[in-house]
Amino acid sequence: MNKVEFSPSLMTMDLDKFKEQITFLNDKVDSYHIDIMDGHYVPNITLSPWFIDEVRKISSLPMSAHLMVTNPSFWVDQLVAQKCEWICMHAEVLDGMAFRLIDQIHDAGLKAGIVLNPETPIETIFPYIELLDKITIMTIDPGFAGQRFIESTLDKIVALRELREEKGYKYVIEMDGSSNRKSFKRIDAAGPDIYIVGRSGLFGLDDKIEKSWEIMKKDYEDMTGKALI
């Protein structure tokens, strides 16, 4: 990828200002990150596939669904029916299902992603890594916003970049968790293609989304020395 992309995590937005925030961000960001939690894989219950339809009423940007669920097949069926552009599943729950679900997503003309928890090594996905369109590295434990940034997870981003170059793989690399002024410099050094930004990096910076974006943009540019296009 030629430029860093930003994908806001919509579970951390101000739902009272849903239309206002999405309308503004449509011209600023590259995609939207939709967290779907079932209350089992992680304790929280957040967004669901219906939310994608609501966003699509006012946005044409790609949607990326992050499935924090114990039964990915159930949710993949729904998201394929909705033509969700990216469907990302946790490697930790895919034993015996990975190839089938990846094929199902691809057969529908959609993109398949895998998410790795902080303690999950990248070797876990080696059997099917060449099939993946995206790999998301969790830099916090999944399920809750605002947790401590786990710096050691950045080593996986570096390793995935090196592996992609060596093997000619096509996946993009995404990071998810505590992406903000305190961590931008370290994340930039690791070199992911996509930053997911949530409450600490975007939505919680100001009551107005316009001001929040300007703060985030300045934070990124100050800490990395790179212009956010």
Side-chain angles (χ1 to χ4, degrees), residues 184-202:
F184 279 147
K185 185 174 182 178
R186 289 172 287 173
I187 297 168
D188 176 69
D193 305 302
I194 304 171
Y195 287 61
I196 296 172
V197 286
R199 185 175 299 124
S200 67
L202 177 61

Side-chain angles (χ1 to χ4, degrees), residues 17-66:
K17 301 175 181 177
F18 172 81
K19 186 174 182 180
E20 171 190 337
Q21 294 188 340
I22 295 294
T23 301
F24 174 80
L25 290 170
N26 282 338
D27 296 326
K28 304 293 184 183
V29 302
D30 303 280
S31 63
Y32 290 118
H33 183 83
I34 313 294
D35 286 303
I36 298 175
M37 306 180 191
D38 63 358
H40 298 285
Y41 183 69
V42 291
N44 271 351
I45 298 175
T46 53
L47 306 177
S48 63
W50 69 265
F51 192 79
I52 294 170
D53 291 332
E54 295 303 306
V55 179
R56 279 184 170 148
K57 292 176 181 178
I58 53 176
S59 179
S60 60
L61 290 180
M63 308 289 167
S64 182
H66 174 188

Side-chain angles (χ1 to χ4, degrees), residues 7 31 33 35 64-68 86-92 112-122 125 129 132-140 142 153 156-157 160 171-177 192-196:
S7 185
S31 63
H33 183 83
D35 286 303
S64 182
H66 174 188
L67 296 178
M68 285 173 268
W86 297 85
I87 302 175
C88 303
M89 308 164 288
H90 268 267
E92 298 83 9
I114 289 295
V115 186
L116 295 175
N117 282 337
E119 67 271 27
T120 304
I122 62 173
I125 61 175
I129 191 171
L132 299 177
D133 302 297
K134 179 161 69 175
I135 301 172
T136 302
I137 299 301
M138 296 297 298
T139 55
I140 62 172
T153 58
K156 288 189 278 189
I157 294 174
L160 286 169
Y171 55 75
V172 296
I173 305 167
E174 180 177 74
M175 61 74 55
D176 184 2
D193 305 302
I194 304 171
Y195 287 61
I196 296 172

